[in-house]
Amino acid sequence: MKTVKKKSGVATESRNIICEKHYVTNADVKKIREELLKWYDKNQRVLPWRDIAKDEVDNNIRGYAVMVSEVMLQQTQVATVISYFNKWIKKWPTISSLAAAELEEVNQQWAGLGYYSRARRLHEGAKIIVEKLNGNIPQTAEELEKLIPGIGAYSAAAIASIAFQKASGVVDGNVIRVLSRMRVIGVHVSKPGVKDHLWDLANKLVSEERPGDFNQALMELGAEICTPQNPHCTDCSVKDFCQAYLKVKKSTKTGKLDSYLKKNSWTRGKVKPSTEDSVPDIENAADCYFCLPDSVWEENPQVVAYPPKAEKKKSRIEKLGVVVVEKGNKLLMMRRPEKGLLAGLLEFPSVIFPEDASVKEQSSAVDQVLIEISIPIALHSSRKYIGKVVHIFSHIRTTYIIEHLAVDKSVKVSHASKELMWLSEEEFQSAAVSTAMKKVLAFVRKSESSPKKQVSSKKRKLVAEDSKQRSIKSFFNK
């Protein structure tokens, strides 16, 4: 790996030192492939997309199934994806049937999986494949990444190897963890050169005869054995090639980890490794870019020290006012913008409150939302406060401050730029609605079944002004 340093205005080239232990030898590659595939053949989980990839003779059906599974598996656990995948394939069994679907249908089918932009990109990709590629899914990682929106380097390599047996390595979260431990890479993956090195390792390791099975085995190892916490090291088929495991094992010779081994679960109750075993020398080299600093290892002398964790970013805090407007047995819904968070989904009329907004300012903001959808001002004071629901997205902690407004049949709503519609509760449950909105409605229905004195929005505003309370939290906890 090269870096460029500037001294006295002149750029000079220097090299970061990388220890040999961060690479794999040809001999190790051969044994790792053999042991990992042997383990996978015996222990692989039965998953519907694997069955299709294994048994289906049609290239496009096979590629389509793997593509759907890989997009669904982004940021979502396998156990959750299985039922969604089965329903999806039943509804749209081919790439052409998905391309012919309306985006609204796609969003409905995706509801509950989160990260809704994935569904939109999957739909866009299907249309591109049908309209521009004659319905033929690209078979190489390079073409998949280049031609299909939403297919990145990992997904492209996974589809190419699993569906089409192309010898492309994969690097996802599980693989990053396995390879970082296997080759004691003590630098976070976000640092320059680290991910490139991991890709190089993955591409060298991948089996040319069984690339799909090998990649799935490597990912399966990370999911089932080489877990983030309490890894099952003694059950690992490639532990003898794992430098982190050998480093811990070597430390037992000095007695430094005796107490640790007795307390922690990586041994899973089995006999401690013999201190007589021959363990290769894997000490840090001076100035190695990838080596974990000795001081960090001494504080956490265990396998889970790899890979090093990134600093956790705080979630953004948001407060939204949301009004559940009902006319008879119908609920008023608005379409969200086609770009951004929850793109294209339906939601109740809502507004993001400015930070530190007073109760009066929050109420005025909700008033404005109702004015924009043509609900008469005279009805605004009949809004009833219901309560608060918290929903956590991957990077946002959102508090929905919920109000309810019943209007009569004479009220007609409209908006200058947003699509509005009235849905029955049954239609609501099957529509393209986010989990957060379903939580909001469930909270409203629960409040209706629980005897509770409702406080009108107008009265709530007057009380807040009289008491000069700035925070809605302090008002409702009074």
Side-chain angles (χ1 to χ4, degrees), residues 325-339:
V325 180
E326 286 196 82
K327 181 164 67 172
N329 63 349
K330 298 282 188 177
L331 300 161
L332 178 61
M333 308 301 297
M334 302 177 68
R335 178 83 62 190
R336 287 183 62 85
E338 290 301 324
K339 293 184 178 181

Side-chain angles (χ1 to χ4, degrees), residues 220-398:
E220 192 101 320
L221 189 78
E224 298 291 297
I225 302 296
C226 195
T227 50
Q229 299 298 323
N230 301 320
H232 312 316
C233 293
T234 54
D235 291 341
C236 179
S237 62
V238 290
K239 62 180 179 292
D240 292 338
F241 306 94
C242 177
Q243 300 283 19
Y245 173 79
L246 296 176
K247 191 172 183 178
V248 172
K249 188 175 179 182
K250 182 179 179 182
S251 297
T252 65
K253 299 178 84 171
T254 64
K256 289 179 181 179
L257 294 185
D258 283 355
S259 60
Y260 166 75
L261 291 170
K262 291 176 183 177
K263 293 178 182 178
N264 288 271
S265 62
W266 77 275
T267 58
R268 303 193 77 191
K270 297 187 178 181
V271 178
K272 183 177 68 175
S274 169
T275 57
E276 300 303 318
D277 290 344
S278 174
V279 180
D281 185 359
I282 53 172
E283 297 299 329
N284 287 356
D287 301 322
C288 175
Y289 177 59
F290 284 163
C291 277
L292 188 73
D294 289 335
S295 58
V296 176
W297 172 255
E298 287 166 5
E299 290 178 5
N300 188 32
Q302 49 184 307
V303 170
V304 295
Y306 300 94
K309 295 176 176 58
E311 292 184 14
K312 192 172 182 179
K313 293 182 180 179
K314 291 184 178 179
S315 297
R316 189 169 86 241
I317 305 297
E318 280 189 350
K319 283 186 179 179
L320 274 77
V322 56
V323 187
V324 177
V325 180
E326 286 196 82
K327 181 164 67 172
N329 63 349
K330 298 282 188 177
L331 300 161
L332 178 61
M333 308 301 297
M334 302 177 68
R335 178 83 62 190
R336 287 183 62 85
E338 290 301 324
K339 293 184 178 181
L341 184 67
L342 306 177
L345 299 190
L346 298 173
E347 66 179 1
F348 296 114
S350 58
V351 58
I352 299 176
F353 293 140
E355 190 176 351
D356 299 326
S358 67
V359 171
K360 181 178 179 180
E361 291 167 335
Q362 291 177 358
S363 185
S364 296
V366 175
D367 282 337
Q368 185 58 39
V369 169
L370 296 177
I371 289 170
E372 288 175 359
I373 58 177
S374 303
I375 291 182
I377 296 175
L379 298 178
H380 294 194
S381 61
S382 61
R383 300 196 317 259
K384 296 183 183 299
Y385 171 74
I386 303 299
K388 294 183 286 186
V389 164
V390 175
H391 186 77
I392 300 176
F393 297 95
S394 61
H395 56 294
I396 308 172
R397 180 184 175 88
T398 303

Side-chain angles (χ1 to χ4, degrees), residues 47-192:
L47 301 172
W49 49 89
R50 285 181 178 171
D51 291 340
I52 295 173
K54 187 186 301 180
D55 301 330
E56 177 57 55
V57 295
D58 187 296
N59 283 345
N60 286 319
I61 293 178
R62 196 168 63 245
Y64 170 63
V66 176
M67 183 168 73
V68 171
S69 70
E70 288 301 329
V71 174
M72 286 186 171
L73 286 166
Q74 295 168 9
Q75 308 289 334
T76 308
Q77 294 183 344
V78 170
T80 301
V81 167
I82 291 173
S83 62
Y84 278 90
F85 176 85
N86 287 332
K87 291 175 184 176
W88 186 282
I89 293 298
K90 184 177 181 180
K91 187 173 182 66
W92 299 301
T94 64
I95 195 79
S96 57
S97 60
L98 175 60
E102 295 294 330
L103 181 57
E104 177 72 12
E105 290 182 278
V106 173
N107 283 333
Q108 287 176 9
Q109 199 73 5
W110 197 273
L113 265 180
Y115 300 93
Y116 290 85
S117 59
R118 295 180 296 167
R120 185 179 68 253
R121 291 197 299 267
L122 188 55
H123 185 237
E124 289 173 358
K127 294 179 77 170
I128 286 172
I129 290 168
V130 169
E131 295 170 5
K132 297 183 178 181
L133 303 176
N134 297 318
N136 296 312
I137 298 175
Q139 296 190 13
T140 67
E142 294 77 15
E143 289 179 322
L144 282 160
E145 187 176 2
K146 180 181 178 180
L147 299 175
I148 312 302
I151 300 298
Y154 159 72
S155 296
I159 296 166
S161 63
I162 297 169
F164 305 116
Q165 296 304 306
K166 304 296 183 182
S168 298
V170 297
V171 175
D172 72 343
N174 285 319
V175 174
I176 288 170
R177 185 168 57 257
V178 170
L179 296 183
S180 293
R181 290 172 179 173
M182 189 177 285
R183 284 300 173 259
V184 284
I185 297 173
V187 184
H188 190 263
V189 69
S190 63
K191 299 298 182 181

